Amino acid sequence: MKARTLGAMLAALLLAACSGAGGGSSGTTTLTLWARDSEKTFIGQIVDAFNQSHKNIHVDVTIIPANNSFVQKLGTATANGSGPDVVSIDLVFVPYFAKAGALMDITSRARALPYLAGFDSAHMKLANYNGKLYALPFTAESSVVFYNKTLFQKAGLDPSKPPTTWAELEAAAVKVRGLGGNTYGYVWPGANGGASIFELAPFVWASGGEVVGGTPAQSVPMFNSPAVTDMLTFMHGMAQEGVIPPSASTDTTSNSLTAFQSGTVGMTPAGAFFIPQLESSKTFDWGVFPIPGKNGGFSSFAGGDEISVGSNTKNAGAAWTFVQWATDMSAQQAMAKQGVMPVRLDLASTIYTPLNPAYSIFVQALQQGHTVDSVVENALINDNNGPWATMIHDAIFNGNIKATQDAAQTKAQAIVAAG
Amino acid sequence: MSQRDRAVAAVRVAGRGRARRRALTWRRRRQLAGLLCVLPALACTTIFFFVPLGLDFWMSFNQWPLLGDHQFVGLQNYAQAVHDPGFLGSVGVTVLYTVIITPLLLVLAFVLAVLTQGADRASRFFRTLYFLPVPVGLASASYLFVWLVQPNVGPIGRVLQLAGVVQQPPVWLAATIPALLVVVGMVVWKVTGLQMILLMAGMQSIPDAMHEAATVDGAGWWRRFLFITMPLLRPTLALVLVFSVAGSLLAFDQFYIITAGGPSNSTLTAVYTIYRTSFVSFHLGYGAALSILTMLVLAAVSAVQLLLIRQSTELS
């Protein structure tokens, strides 16, 4: 029995190897696809649909947990030649992996796509490195503020008129906190670099500022710029007024979402990924509004994933077939039905926004979206012990804003210099 | 010793020519058998220790990104390390943690060992009770404590609030000293039992006759403790100390899970910094140099402690 299973496995391996080398042979080409754990709700279905419609290609998905370990695993696997054929990757990490040679140059293949102009522009910007295209946009995500309409009503606020400026947002948070007890006005994971770029940087962008400028290879951190000072001062003020729960200062995960879901927090910034979780336990009325600028306007983080052919692949042709299919109508529509925002803005109004009244705000936000385009994004921003995360935490919860910013700026410049 | 063996064998061989071949074969066989016996261990040590160590040394002299080409830079990584405020700060945190945790564990384990070394039912019960946390994984124990001190859902803050000690459940992990105390508390809870058992084994290996003789001579409990138990326990104490100090200097998991290095990177340990250098910033060469430095310090500290063992065995 055991020997037979082993024999079958060996045969399968041989078959895979043969078809891999033969290319045009009648066997099935097996591709490995890596995806991050936040995609596990829909990636299986997408891959199943692909496998059913493509008889000679079979895709196996591996879900890689947590963002930081994704970067490490893809890096180490690629370094020893065992990287995946296809990889779905947080867009902020694309510049690093493009520079490091982990992703295949797909410029000529992508140019032939008729819908290349329909992709979100921030995704396209990060997929480009030194004039070559290393990835295609795959999924989109934008950041907006979720607010608890029931709490707004109780606090004497008009739920149909959410805040449009910083002053209005602060006033609303203070009123909700005024309900007393364990009810707070505003929350976000205060010790998480990735969440803080997704949820706080849009306040800077919407007010005309920037967080990281320059080119991907030669980034210019702007952590001590006046626009960042303004945002930190605004948030520090809210922390001092006690509208942010003290536990936010140590939150490195998603406790803030759980808190909002429990109905004890007035507002929290998040992405469209939060909607299914929120709708699973509907105990209050909620809505979303775009992250406002200081005196109006709005912005968002343009997030999500890109999809790319790994440089270790021996089946570039089949891998490209999957990448192309994943960015086309049927896959994008299937994902939209799972609540994933399509990255094809040319399709959004037909396959996505009709599904939920809140969705159009996410699409509007994405169109005003910014992102961080740097090969050292992980060390600068997403690293919870890095300069961005520590600056956000220290300035907002401890004050001493200017000195904290200068210290973070020095560290950020050292990271860029070290490469 | 082996030289003397060889000399004796040579004399025998010279005296009895006939036995020569047999004696040599027998000795060779024994040597061969010995070699065969240690070969698996030797192979494992070579593959999993000496080769990586050599590689680590080589990497530490290079600028070595995770992906892409590496470049020989000589001692530059080491020169950078001794001026790196981030690394030196984390060494400081590690030393502080070791200085706090080591005596705490040792004294507590000692007291518990003395209290529960009897053969009666109560002693056995409490011994089991104190040992129970030991088999719990370090990661599981860390997550348990993270939950215990959570201000919103953790029971500790709630109990303090109900008892009227605090108005609001405190956010333990938001300040350096309380965060460090949470880690220390977890490690004490988890590790004391193991040290207790080790010390107890040492105590029980002291022959009863010694205690009886001292009792006959009129020595009370304290005198026996100070002049019989303590000196004869020195090898065990040194062993426990070596384990404890080495473990504390290499602390990583508990900080990674409980404090995540926070608040404001004030609880980043040396190994945590090595991890971040290598796998967040991808500077493998610099990370390798930091590893070598940490290993040298650890080797020096352990050597000093092993000297203590040797001295104490000579004394006894």
Side-chain angles (χ1 to χ4, degrees), chain B residues 15-279:
Chain B
R16 296 200 293 165
R18 266 191 195 172
R20 187 177 175 179
R21 240 184 96 181
R22 244 181 76 199
L24 269 180
T25 323
W26 178 76
R27 215 174 68 222
R28 277 231 178 107
R29 257 190 217 162
R30 245 183 67 152
Q31 284 174 338
L32 208 67
L35 190 67
L36 279 174
C37 284
V38 297
L39 207 58
L42 199 68
C44 280
T45 317
T46 306
I47 295 170
F48 296 112
F49 182 70
F50 290 114
V51 171
L53 186 67
L55 202 64
D56 198 44
F57 253 112
W58 167 237
M59 288 175 84
S60 74
F61 298 118
N62 284 275
Q63 193 172 10
W64 197 303
L66 182 65
L67 293 164
D69 299 328
H70 51 87
Q71 188 192 349
F72 186 80
V73 292
L75 289 169
Q76 191 189 303
N77 286 330
Y78 291 94
Q80 188 187 340
V82 291
H83 297 294
D84 180 347
F87 179 63
L88 296 180
S90 69
V91 169
V93 170
T94 313
V95 170
L96 175 69
Y97 168 72
T98 306
V99 167
I100 294 174
I101 195 86
T102 308
L104 197 61
L105 281 177
L106 200 67
V107 170
L108 268 174
F110 211 102
V111 169
L112 292 183
V114 169
L115 288 178
T116 64
Q117 65 174 331
D120 53 305
R121 183 172 284 189
S123 289
R124 285 205 305 263
F125 172 75
F126 281 106
R127 209 184 298 156
T128 314
L129 198 68
Y130 299 139
F131 191 75
L132 268 180
V134 175
V136 176
L138 194 57
S140 319
S142 301
Y143 278 114
L144 181 68
F145 271 68
V146 167
W147 170 73
L148 282 174
V149 300
Q150 272 292 314
N152 301 327
V153 291
I156 291 182
R158 187 89 184 111
V159 165
L160 290 178
Q161 195 182 15
L162 287 176
V165 182
V166 289
Q167 286 256 302
Q168 283 285 316
V171 187
W172 292 83
L173 303 178
T176 309
I177 298 300
L180 205 59
L181 286 181
V182 173
V183 175
V184 167
M186 187 280 288
V187 173
V188 164
W189 174 76
K190 198 189 128 40
V191 178
T192 310
L194 181 68
Q195 295 201 357
M196 173 193 78
I197 292 288
L198 289 173
L199 289 174
M200 198 182 292
M203 286 175 189
Q204 285 171 349
S205 70
I206 299 170
D208 284 343
M210 290 211 172
H211 283 290
E212 280 161 19
T215 316
V216 170
D217 287 345
W221 189 89
W222 265 111
R223 290 185 73 84
R224 277 185 281 133
F225 179 77
L226 282 178
F227 296 106
I228 295 178
T229 310
M230 282 302 274
L232 290 177
L233 206 57
R234 271 180 71 178
T236 316
L237 274 176
L239 175 82
V240 168
L241 259 180
V242 170
F243 274 136
S244 173
V245 169
S248 308
L249 288 179
L250 293 177
F252 170 70
D253 324 35
Q254 58 269 47
F255 286 94
Y256 183 75
I257 293 170
I258 296 179
T259 70
S264 318
N265 294 347
S266 59
T267 60
L268 282 177
T269 62
V271 176
Y272 205 145
T273 302
I274 293 171
Y275 165 79
R276 283 175 25 74
T277 304
S278 302
F279 298 112

Side-chain angles (χ1 to χ4, degrees), chain A residues 11-343:
Chain A
L13 268 173
L14 269 173
L15 196 71
C18 287
S19 63
S25 76
S26 59
T28 308
T29 306
T30 301
L31 297 177
T32 50
L33 163 67
W34 283 16
R36 53 170 165 156
D37 56 359
S38 60
E39 294 175 301
K40 64 176 181 280
T41 50
F42 65 87
I43 197 81
Q45 277 193 8
I46 297 297
V47 167
D48 284 347
F50 176 85
N51 286 339
Q52 274 162 24
S53 58
H54 293 74
K55 293 295 166 220
N56 53 354
I57 304 176
H58 183 86
V59 177
D60 282 329
V61 193
T62 308
I63 300 284
I64 311 288
N67 260 348
N68 275 344
S69 83
F70 191 101
V71 175
Q72 292 153 22
K73 288 205 169 91
L74 184 59
T76 43
T78 306
N80 65 34
S82 59
D85 296 296
V86 183
V87 57
S88 165
I89 178 176
D90 188 336
L91 84 168
V92 292
F93 300 139
V94 170
Y96 168 73
F97 284 113
K99 178 200 169 205
L103 309 176
M104 193 171 269
D105 175 5
I106 53 170
T107 315
S108 54
R109 285 184 161 112
R111 288 245 166 88
L113 290 177
Y115 49 80
L116 201 60
F119 285 120
D120 168 54
S121 56
H123 282 74
M124 285 307 285
K125 185 168 167 258
L126 265 68
N128 264 295
Y129 184 77
N130 274 349
K132 288 175 182 162
L133 199 65
Y134 289 91
L136 282 184
F138 181 41
T139 65
E141 187 58 279
S142 55
S143 39
V144 302
V145 182
F146 284 74
Y147 69 110
N148 185 323
K149 287 185 174 174
T150 311
L151 282 184
F152 264 50
Q153 193 114 45
K154 269 193 206 159
L157 294 155
D158 183 355
S160 66
K161 283 187 186 142
T164 57
T165 63
W166 291 4
E168 286 177 28
L169 193 149
E170 188 171 353
V174 169
K175 277 209 163 167
V176 173
R177 177 68 182 123
L179 294 170
N182 271 335
T183 307
Y184 286 90
Y186 183 88
V187 72
W188 97 109
N192 183 317
S196 294
I197 194 74
F198 187 73
E199 300 172 11
L200 294 193
F203 286 105
V204 177
W205 291 322
S207 312
E210 185 49 280
V211 176
V212 178
T215 62
Q218 205 42 251
S219 303
V220 181
M222 301 171 86
F223 291 0
N224 59 353
S225 60
V228 174
T229 313
D230 273 1
M231 182 273 287
L232 293 172
T233 311
F234 164 48
M235 286 291 157
H236 177 57
M238 291 219 290
Q240 288 217 303
E241 282 166 320
V243 303
I244 299 174
S247 57
S249 76
T250 58
D251 188 4
T252 55
T253 52
S254 52
N255 293 344
S256 60
L257 297 184
T258 319
F260 182 83
Q261 198 177 0
S262 73
T264 57
V265 179
M267 292 171 277
T268 191
F273 68 89
F274 186 38
I275 295 179
Q277 186 185 338
L278 202 49
E279 283 186 333
S280 68
S281 62
K282 217 172 175 184
T283 53
F284 56 86
D285 230 11
W286 57 269
V288 294
F289 62 90
I291 296 177
K294 190 174 184 180
N295 304 309
F298 63 90
S299 184
S300 160
F301 187 86
D305 271 40
E306 312 242 18
I307 193 159
S308 188
V309 179
S311 60
N312 288 154
T313 187
K314 291 182 180 64
N315 297 299
W320 170 253
T321 306
F322 181 80
V323 168
Q324 186 181 353
W325 181 86
T327 54
D328 210 344
M329 175 77 174
S330 63
Q332 292 284 313
Q333 184 160 29
M335 288 192 287
K337 281 182 185 153
Q338 301 287 320
V340 180
M341 195 188 327
V343 77

Side-chain angles (χ1 to χ4, degrees), chain B residues 301-312:
Chain B
V301 171
S302 300
V304 168
Q305 290 173 309
L306 287 171
L307 270 178
L308 282 176
I309 294 186
R310 189 174 293 170
Q311 276 179 0
S312 56

